[in-house]
Amino acid sequence: MTTVRLAHFSDIHLTARDPGWTIRDLFGKRVTGWVNLHALGRGKRFQHAPTVVAALRHELGTRGFDHLVFSGDASMLGFDSELRTAAAALGVDDPALPPGIAVPGNHDVYVGRAAQRRTFEQVFAPWQQGQRVRDSDYPFACKVGHIWLIALNSARPNFLPTDASGNIGDAQFQRLRELTATLGDGLRIVVSHYPVLMPNRKPEPRFHRLRDWKQARAIAAECDVRLWLHGHKHAWYVLPTGENLPFATICAGSSTQSKRWGYHEYAITGQQLVALRRAYDQGRDTFVDAETFELTL
């Protein structure tokens, strides 16, 4: 029986030296984001992100992965320059790296025009290849060994400065049904930015949650999804199938936030997942083995 090896990383939150501010940005959500970044401490938590991503890219190319999984929040404020910086740092166009799958996070569509410009989809195009329904961006699916990885976009722009919620929407849910009906045999794994539930098996607070999480939970189960990979929460956690959850979920946490930095390696044989968390060691500028866990999917 073959084993599929995946690397799952998320929430790298890179920025650019000159993001590309315009007059229009001074009257929108990006201003409050800038205050949070430079005055309220968020920027300090990610000050080493470029160095950590460089170490992560080395890992992605040297540890024998079959596929890479990125669950969003490449940028800080959704500027085109930030997204281009992140894609280049991760080596999205590097043919020496394994193929990948990527979905945007809420910071990648921070304002409406960032989503309308589809910059994330453009710069991450090599990691956006797969089987689709009609000409829609999402969802799409790619086969890796005996596994179907299914990209589902749960991120959306929000107007209020305090709103970091996500939404999938009825149209995308319908396409998910149509797409999964065309897939052949294989273990189905969703890749999305938002979690279904928090570690306490309850939804996140209203302005940080996936708004249609109940529908997501029901339809993913209906489509025989066995695992939901995500980010958004910067501390990693695992929820096995059980109370309030018909499938397992894994949060990779932030791969670059100071003292929380890390990513996951998954070895999936049949329905058995064996995971290793690799944590960043700042003194050695490399990732080292940390926790392990197992799931039956």
Side-chain angles (χ1 to χ4, degrees):
M1 187 176 294
T2 60
T3 297
V4 173
R5 286 179 46 77
L6 306 176
H8 178 202
F9 49 98
S10 195
D11 294 74
I12 62 172
H13 288 295
L14 292 184
T15 189
R17 186 178 297 275
D18 182 12
W21 287 88
T22 67
I23 294 297
R24 187 177 180 183
D25 291 318
L26 300 180
F27 300 94
K29 186 175 180 178
R30 279 177 170 151
V31 170
T32 55
W34 184 93
V35 172
N36 188 24
L37 188 62
H38 294 281
L40 300 181
R42 185 180 182 89
K44 186 175 181 180
R45 294 195 293 273
F46 289 93
Q47 62 181 320
H48 303 295
T51 301
V52 182
V53 170
L56 175 62
R57 177 171 174 172
H58 177 75
E59 294 268 304
L60 301 180
T62 58
R63 290 187 61 82
F65 297 114
D66 297 304
H67 216 81
L68 312 179
V69 177
F70 176 51
S71 49
D73 273 359
S75 66
M76 280 290 191
L77 302 176
F79 283 106
D80 288 0
S81 59
E82 292 180 323
L83 290 166
R84 286 193 294 267
T85 296
L90 288 172
V92 170
D93 288 318
D94 187 348
L97 291 185
I101 186 171
V103 294
N106 55 300
H107 281 261
D108 303 323
V109 290
Y110 203 71
V111 295
R113 58 189 180 279
Q116 293 164 6
R117 290 167 64 86
R118 298 180 64 258
T119 305
F120 183 91
E121 286 72 26
Q122 293 167 22
V123 301
F124 280 90
W127 291 4
Q128 292 247 313
Q129 304 302 308
Q131 186 172 326
R132 287 177 163 84
V133 174
R134 297 178 289 280
D135 294 325
S136 59
D137 286 332
Y138 304 99
F140 64 88
C142 57
K143 190 77 177 288
V144 185
H146 68 291
I147 293 170
W148 281 105
L149 294 174
I150 304 170
L152 195 62
N153 182 14
S154 54
R156 66 173 186 180
N158 291 299
F159 176 74
L160 295 177
T162 56
D163 191 352
S165 62
N167 192 72
I168 294 170
D170 291 340
Q172 194 179 173
F173 281 133
Q174 180 56 35
R175 293 195 298 271
L176 177 63
R177 286 189 174 106
E178 294 179 38
L179 176 64
T180 54
T182 69
L183 302 182
D185 293 339
L187 194 67
R188 296 176 180 184
I189 298 176
V190 159
V191 179
S192 199
H193 181 64
Y194 281 81
V196 179
L197 298 174
M198 295 191 301
N200 62 4
R201 293 186 177 267
K202 295 181 180 180
E204 291 191 89
R206 179 173 176 80
F207 287 103
H208 204 259
R209 71 173 61 162
L210 179 62
R211 291 293 181 94
D212 48 5
W213 67 271
K214 288 184 180 179
Q215 197 173 2
R217 179 180 62 182
I219 294 174
E222 173 191 323
C223 295
D224 197 28
V225 168
R226 303 297 182 88
L227 176 63
W228 183 290
L229 301 178
H230 67 91
H232 194 52
K233 304 292 287 183
H234 288 184
W236 75 277
Y237 63 95
V238 182
L239 290 179
T241 304
E243 181 187 0
N244 293 334
L245 203 57
F247 45 81
T249 70
I250 303 176
C251 176
S254 170
S255 293
T256 60
Q257 181 175 326
S258 295
K259 309 307 179 184
R260 289 183 170 179
W261 37 39
Y263 76 96
H264 291 163
E265 297 185 356
Y266 306 135
I268 304 175
T269 307
Q271 295 180 316
Q272 193 67 25
L273 179 149
V274 178
L276 168 66
R277 181 165 179 83
R278 297 270 292 169
Y280 182 66
D281 184 321
Q282 189 175 15
R284 296 162 58 186
D285 188 25
T286 190
F287 285 82
V288 297
D289 291 356
E291 294 89 344
T292 61
F293 59 91
E294 296 187 24
L295 291 171
T296 300
L297 305 176

Short mmCIF file of all heavy atoms in Angstrom, two decimals, residues 202-240:
data_model
loop_
_atom_site.label_atom_id
_atom_site.label_comp_id
_atom_site.label_asym_id
_atom_site.label_seq_id
_atom_site.Cartn_x
_atom_site.Cartn_y
_atom_site.Cartn_z
N LYS A 202 -16.47 24.18 19.61
CA LYS A 202 -17.50 25.19 19.42
C LYS A 202 -17.05 26.14 18.31
O LYS A 202 -15.85 26.24 18.03
CB LYS A 202 -17.74 25.97 20.72
CG LYS A 202 -18.31 25.12 21.84
CD LYS A 202 -18.55 25.94 23.09
CE LYS A 202 -19.13 25.07 24.21
NZ LYS A 202 -19.36 25.87 25.45
N PRO A 203 -17.98 26.86 17.67
CA PRO A 203 -17.58 27.81 16.62
C PRO A 203 -16.83 28.99 17.21
O PRO A 203 -16.94 29.29 18.42
CB PRO A 203 -18.91 28.25 16.01
CG PRO A 203 -19.92 28.01 17.09
CD PRO A 203 -19.45 26.80 17.83
N GLU A 204 -16.04 29.66 16.38
CA GLU A 204 -15.34 30.87 16.82
C GLU A 204 -16.34 31.98 17.12
O GLU A 204 -17.50 31.91 16.72
CB GLU A 204 -14.38 31.34 15.72
CG GLU A 204 -13.19 30.44 15.49
CD GLU A 204 -12.18 31.12 14.60
OE1 GLU A 204 -11.31 31.83 15.13
OE2 GLU A 204 -12.27 30.94 13.37
N PRO A 205 -15.90 33.05 17.80
CA PRO A 205 -16.77 34.22 17.98
C PRO A 205 -17.25 34.75 16.63
O PRO A 205 -16.57 34.60 15.61
CB PRO A 205 -15.86 35.22 18.69
CG PRO A 205 -14.86 34.37 19.40
CD PRO A 205 -14.62 33.19 18.51
N ARG A 206 -18.40 35.39 16.62
CA ARG A 206 -19.11 35.74 15.39
C ARG A 206 -18.24 36.47 14.37
O ARG A 206 -18.29 36.18 13.18
CB ARG A 206 -20.34 36.60 15.73
CG ARG A 206 -21.13 37.04 14.50
CD ARG A 206 -22.41 37.74 14.89
NE ARG A 206 -23.12 38.23 13.73
CZ ARG A 206 -23.88 37.51 12.92
NH1 ARG A 206 -24.02 36.21 13.15
NH2 ARG A 206 -24.49 38.04 11.89
N PHE A 207 -17.44 37.42 14.80
CA PHE A 207 -16.69 38.24 13.85
C PHE A 207 -15.32 37.65 13.50
O PHE A 207 -14.48 38.32 12.92
CB PHE A 207 -16.55 39.68 14.36
CG PHE A 207 -17.83 40.44 14.27
CD1 PHE A 207 -18.60 40.69 15.40
CD2 PHE A 207 -18.29 40.90 13.04
CE1 PHE A 207 -19.79 41.38 15.31
CE2 PHE A 207 -19.48 41.60 12.94
CZ PHE A 207 -20.25 41.84 14.07
N HIS A 208 -15.12 36.38 13.87
CA HIS A 208 -13.86 35.71 13.49
C HIS A 208 -14.14 34.34 12.87
O HIS A 208 -13.22 33.70 12.38
CB HIS A 208 -12.96 35.56 14.71
CG HIS A 208 -11.50 35.44 14.39
ND1 HIS A 208 -10.83 34.25 14.38
CD2 HIS A 208 -10.58 36.37 14.03
CE1 HIS A 208 -9.56 34.44 14.06
NE2 HIS A 208 -9.38 35.72 13.85
N ARG A 209 -15.38 33.93 12.87
CA ARG A 209 -15.73 32.57 12.47
C ARG A 209 -16.05 32.44 10.99
O ARG A 209 -16.23 33.43 10.28
CB ARG A 209 -16.95 32.08 13.26
CG ARG A 209 -18.25 32.77 12.83
CD ARG A 209 -19.49 32.16 13.49
NE ARG A 209 -19.46 32.27 14.93
CZ ARG A 209 -20.54 32.14 15.70
NH1 ARG A 209 -21.74 31.90 15.15
NH2 ARG A 209 -20.45 32.25 17.00
N LEU A 210 -16.15 31.21 10.56
CA LEU A 210 -16.77 30.87 9.28
C LEU A 210 -18.27 30.98 9.50
O LEU A 210 -18.86 30.18 10.23
CB LEU A 210 -16.37 29.45 8.87
CG LEU A 210 -16.95 28.91 7.56
CD1 LEU A 210 -16.51 29.76 6.38
CD2 LEU A 210 -16.55 27.46 7.36
N ARG A 211 -18.90 31.99 8.87
CA ARG A 211 -20.30 32.29 9.17
C ARG A 211 -21.22 31.11 8.85
O ARG A 211 -22.19 30.86 9.57
CB ARG A 211 -20.74 33.54 8.38
CG ARG A 211 -20.09 34.84 8.85
CD ARG A 211 -20.51 35.23 10.24
NE ARG A 211 -19.92 36.48 10.69
CZ ARG A 211 -20.51 37.68 10.57
NH1 ARG A 211 -21.69 37.78 9.99
NH2 ARG A 211 -19.91 38.75 11.02
N ASP A 212 -20.97 30.40 7.77
CA ASP A 212 -21.83 29.28 7.40
C ASP A 212 -21.19 27.94 7.78
O ASP A 212 -21.21 26.98 7.03
CB ASP A 212 -22.21 29.32 5.92
CG ASP A 212 -21.03 29.55 4.99
OD1 ASP A 212 -19.89 29.59 5.47
OD2 ASP A 212 -21.26 29.70 3.78
N TRP A 213 -20.63 27.88 8.97
CA TRP A 213 -19.92 26.69 9.42
C TRP A 213 -20.84 25.48 9.54
O TRP A 213 -20.42 24.35 9.26
CB TRP A 213 -19.20 26.95 10.74
CG TRP A 213 -20.10 27.19 11.91
CD1 TRP A 213 -20.61 28.38 12.33
CD2 TRP A 213 -20.60 26.19 12.83
NE1 TRP A 213 -21.41 28.20 13.44
CE2 TRP A 213 -21.41 26.87 13.77
CE3 TRP A 213 -20.45 24.82 12.95
CZ2 TRP A 213 -22.06 26.22 14.81
CZ3 TRP A 213 -21.10 24.16 13.99
CH2 TRP A 213 -21.90 24.86 14.90
N LYS A 214 -22.08 25.68 9.96
CA LYS A 214 -23.00 24.55 10.08
C LYS A 214 -23.26 23.92 8.72
O LYS A 214 -23.28 22.70 8.58
CB LYS A 214 -24.32 24.99 10.72
CG LYS A 214 -24.23 25.31 12.19
CD LYS A 214 -25.60 25.66 12.75
CE LYS A 214 -25.54 25.98 14.23
NZ LYS A 214 -26.87 26.33 14.78
N GLN A 215 -23.47 24.76 7.72
CA GLN A 215 -23.70 24.26 6.38
C GLN A 215 -22.44 23.58 5.83
O GLN A 215 -22.51 22.54 5.18
CB GLN A 215 -24.13 25.42 5.47
CG GLN A 215 -24.78 25.00 4.18
CD GLN A 215 -25.34 26.19 3.42
OE1 GLN A 215 -25.21 27.34 3.84
NE2 GLN A 215 -25.94 25.91 2.27
N ALA A 216 -21.28 24.18 6.12
CA ALA A 216 -20.02 23.58 5.69
C ALA A 216 -19.83 22.20 6.28
O ALA A 216 -19.44 21.25 5.60
CB ALA A 216 -18.85 24.49 6.07
N ARG A 217 -20.12 22.08 7.55
CA ARG A 217 -19.99 20.79 8.24
C ARG A 217 -20.92 19.74 7.62
O ARG A 217 -20.50 18.62 7.34
CB ARG A 217 -20.31 20.96 9.73
CG ARG A 217 -20.24 19.70 10.55
CD ARG A 217 -20.57 19.98 12.01
NE ARG A 217 -21.93 20.47 12.18
CZ ARG A 217 -22.45 20.82 13.35
NH1 ARG A 217 -21.72 20.74 14.46
NH2 ARG A 217 -23.69 21.26 13.44
N ALA A 218 -22.17 20.13 7.37
CA ALA A 218 -23.14 19.18 6.85
C ALA A 218 -22.83 18.77 5.41
O ALA A 218 -22.88 17.59 5.06
CB ALA A 218 -24.55 19.78 6.93
N ILE A 219 -22.47 19.75 4.57
CA ILE A 219 -22.26 19.45 3.15
C ILE A 219 -20.94 18.71 2.95
O ILE A 219 -20.85 17.81 2.10
CB ILE A 219 -22.35 20.74 2.32
CG1 ILE A 219 -23.77 21.28 2.37
CG2 ILE A 219 -21.92 20.50 0.87
CD1 ILE A 219 -23.96 22.62 1.73
N ALA A 220 -19.91 19.06 3.71
CA ALA A 220 -18.65 18.32 3.60
C ALA A 220 -18.86 16.86 3.98
O ALA A 220 -18.35 15.94 3.32
CB ALA A 220 -17.58 18.96 4.48
N ALA A 221 -19.64 16.61 5.03
CA ALA A 221 -19.94 15.24 5.43
C ALA A 221 -20.74 14.53 4.34
O ALA A 221 -20.49 13.36 4.01
CB ALA A 221 -20.70 15.22 6.75
N GLU A 222 -21.70 15.26 3.77
CA GLU A 222 -22.51 14.70 2.68
C GLU A 222 -21.63 14.31 1.49
O GLU A 222 -21.91 13.32 0.79
CB GLU A 222 -23.53 15.75 2.25
CG GLU A 222 -24.35 15.43 1.02
CD GLU A 222 -25.13 16.64 0.54
OE1 GLU A 222 -25.62 17.43 1.39
OE2 GLU A 222 -25.26 16.81 -0.69
N CYS A 223 -20.56 15.07 1.25
CA CYS A 223 -19.65 14.81 0.13
C CYS A 223 -18.54 13.84 0.49
O CYS A 223 -17.56 13.70 -0.25
CB CYS A 223 -19.07 16.13 -0.38
SG CYS A 223 -20.28 17.25 -1.10
N ASP A 224 -18.67 13.19 1.64
CA ASP A 224 -17.73 12.16 2.09
C ASP A 224 -16.33 12.70 2.34
O ASP A 224 -15.33 12.01 2.10
CB ASP A 224 -17.69 10.99 1.11
CG ASP A 224 -17.07 9.73 1.73
OD1 ASP A 224 -17.16 9.58 2.96
OD2 ASP A 224 -16.48 8.94 0.99
N VAL A 225 -16.24 13.94 2.82
CA VAL A 225 -14.95 14.50 3.21
C VAL A 225 -14.52 13.85 4.53
O VAL A 225 -15.32 13.74 5.46
CB VAL A 225 -15.05 16.04 3.36
CG1 VAL A 225 -13.81 16.61 4.05
CG2 VAL A 225 -15.26 16.68 2.00
N ARG A 226 -13.27 13.43 4.60
CA ARG A 226 -12.77 12.75 5.81
C ARG A 226 -11.85 13.62 6.66
O ARG A 226 -11.59 13.28 7.81
CB ARG A 226 -12.03 11.47 5.40
CG ARG A 226 -12.85 10.50 4.57
CD ARG A 226 -14.04 9.97 5.34
NE ARG A 226 -14.81 9.00 4.56
CZ ARG A 226 -14.54 7.70 4.54
NH1 ARG A 226 -13.53 7.21 5.25
NH2 ARG A 226 -15.28 6.88 3.82
N LEU A 227 -11.34 14.72 6.07
CA LEU A 227 -10.40 15.57 6.79
C LEU A 227 -10.50 16.98 6.24
O LEU A 227 -10.63 17.18 5.04
CB LEU A 227 -8.98 15.04 6.62
CG LEU A 227 -7.83 15.85 7.24
CD1 LEU A 227 -7.96 15.92 8.76
CD2 LEU A 227 -6.48 15.24 6.86
N TRP A 228 -10.44 17.98 7.16
CA TRP A 228 -10.50 19.40 6.81
C TRP A 228 -9.21 20.04 7.31
O TRP A 228 -8.97 20.12 8.51
CB TRP A 228 -11.72 20.02 7.48
CG TRP A 228 -12.02 21.47 7.19
CD1 TRP A 228 -11.30 22.55 7.60
CD2 TRP A 228 -13.14 21.97 6.46
NE1 TRP A 228 -11.91 23.71 7.17
CE2 TRP A 228 -13.04 23.38 6.46
CE3 TRP A 228 -14.22 21.39 5.81
CZ2 TRP A 228 -13.99 24.21 5.85
CZ3 TRP A 228 -15.16 22.20 5.20
CH2 TRP A 228 -15.04 23.60 5.21
N LEU A 229 -8.35 20.48 6.38
CA LEU A 229 -7.09 21.13 6.74
C LEU A 229 -7.27 22.64 6.66
O LEU A 229 -7.80 23.15 5.67
CB LEU A 229 -5.97 20.70 5.78
CG LEU A 229 -5.67 19.20 5.72
CD1 LEU A 229 -4.57 18.93 4.69
CD2 LEU A 229 -5.26 18.66 7.09
N HIS A 230 -6.78 23.36 7.67
CA HIS A 230 -7.02 24.81 7.71
C HIS A 230 -5.94 25.54 8.49
O HIS A 230 -5.02 24.93 9.06
CB HIS A 230 -8.39 25.11 8.32
CG HIS A 230 -8.51 24.76 9.78
ND1 HIS A 230 -8.23 25.64 10.79
CD2 HIS A 230 -8.88 23.59 10.39
CE1 HIS A 230 -8.43 25.07 11.96
NE2 HIS A 230 -8.81 23.81 11.75
N GLY A 231 -6.07 26.85 8.50
CA GLY A 231 -5.22 27.73 9.29
C GLY A 231 -6.11 28.67 10.09
O GLY A 231 -6.97 28.26 10.82
N HIS A 232 -5.87 29.99 9.92
CA HIS A 232 -6.64 31.07 10.54
C HIS A 232 -6.32 31.24 12.02
O HIS A 232 -5.98 32.34 12.46
CB HIS A 232 -8.14 30.87 10.32
CG HIS A 232 -8.97 32.09 10.62
ND1 HIS A 232 -8.70 33.32 10.08
CD2 HIS A 232 -10.07 32.25 11.41
CE1 HIS A 232 -9.59 34.20 10.51
NE2 HIS A 232 -10.42 33.59 11.32
N LYS A 233 -6.46 30.20 12.80
CA LYS A 233 -6.01 30.25 14.19
C LYS A 233 -4.50 30.03 14.20
O LYS A 233 -4.00 29.11 13.55
CB LYS A 233 -6.70 29.16 15.01
CG LYS A 233 -8.22 29.22 14.97
CD LYS A 233 -8.76 30.45 15.67
CE LYS A 233 -8.63 30.35 17.17
NZ LYS A 233 -9.22 31.53 17.86
N HIS A 234 -3.77 30.84 14.94
CA HIS A 234 -2.31 30.80 14.87
C HIS A 234 -1.67 29.77 15.80
O HIS A 234 -0.47 29.53 15.71
CB HIS A 234 -1.73 32.19 15.12
CG HIS A 234 -1.97 33.13 13.98
ND1 HIS A 234 -1.47 34.41 13.94
CD2 HIS A 234 -2.65 32.97 12.82
CE1 HIS A 234 -1.83 35.00 12.82
NE2 HIS A 234 -2.56 34.13 12.12
N ALA A 235 -2.46 29.17 16.67
CA ALA A 235 -1.98 28.07 17.49
C ALA A 235 -2.54 26.77 16.90
O ALA A 235 -3.74 26.65 16.68
CB ALA A 235 -2.43 28.24 18.93
N TRP A 236 -1.68 25.80 16.64
CA TRP A 236 -2.12 24.58 15.97
C TRP A 236 -2.93 23.70 16.91
O TRP A 236 -2.76 23.73 18.12
CB TRP A 236 -0.93 23.82 15.41
CG TRP A 236 -0.09 23.08 16.42
CD1 TRP A 236 0.90 23.58 17.20
CD2 TRP A 236 -0.20 21.68 16.74
NE1 TRP A 236 1.43 22.60 18.00
CE2 TRP A 236 0.77 21.41 17.72
CE3 TRP A 236 -1.01 20.64 16.28
CZ2 TRP A 236 0.96 20.15 18.27
CZ3 TRP A 236 -0.83 19.37 16.82
CH2 TRP A 236 0.15 19.15 17.81
N TYR A 237 -3.84 22.90 16.32
CA TYR A 237 -4.60 21.94 17.09
C TYR A 237 -5.21 20.89 16.17
O TYR A 237 -5.27 21.07 14.94
CB TYR A 237 -5.69 22.62 17.94
CG TYR A 237 -6.76 23.34 17.15
CD1 TYR A 237 -7.97 22.72 16.83
CD2 TYR A 237 -6.60 24.67 16.77
CE1 TYR A 237 -8.97 23.39 16.14
CE2 TYR A 237 -7.59 25.35 16.08
CZ TYR A 237 -8.78 24.70 15.77
OH TYR A 237 -9.76 25.37 15.07
N VAL A 238 -5.67 19.81 16.77
CA VAL A 238 -6.25 18.68 16.04
C VAL A 238 -7.58 18.32 16.67
O VAL A 238 -7.69 18.25 17.90
CB VAL A 238 -5.32 17.44 16.08
CG1 VAL A 238 -5.91 16.30 15.27
CG2 VAL A 238 -3.93 17.79 15.61
N LEU A 239 -8.60 18.08 15.84
CA LEU A 239 -9.89 17.60 16.32
C LEU A 239 -10.22 16.29 15.61
O LEU A 239 -10.51 16.30 14.41
CB LEU A 239 -10.99 18.63 16.04
CG LEU A 239 -10.96 19.93 16.84
CD1 LEU A 239 -12.12 20.84 16.41
CD2 LEU A 239 -11.04 19.66 18.33
N PRO A 240 -10.19 15.18 16.31
CA PRO A 240 -10.62 13.92 15.70
C PRO A 240 -12.13 13.92 15.47
O PRO A 240 -12.87 14.73 16.05
CB PRO A 240 -10.22 12.86 16.73
CG PRO A 240 -9.31 13.55 17.69
CD PRO A 240 -9.69 14.99 17.67
#
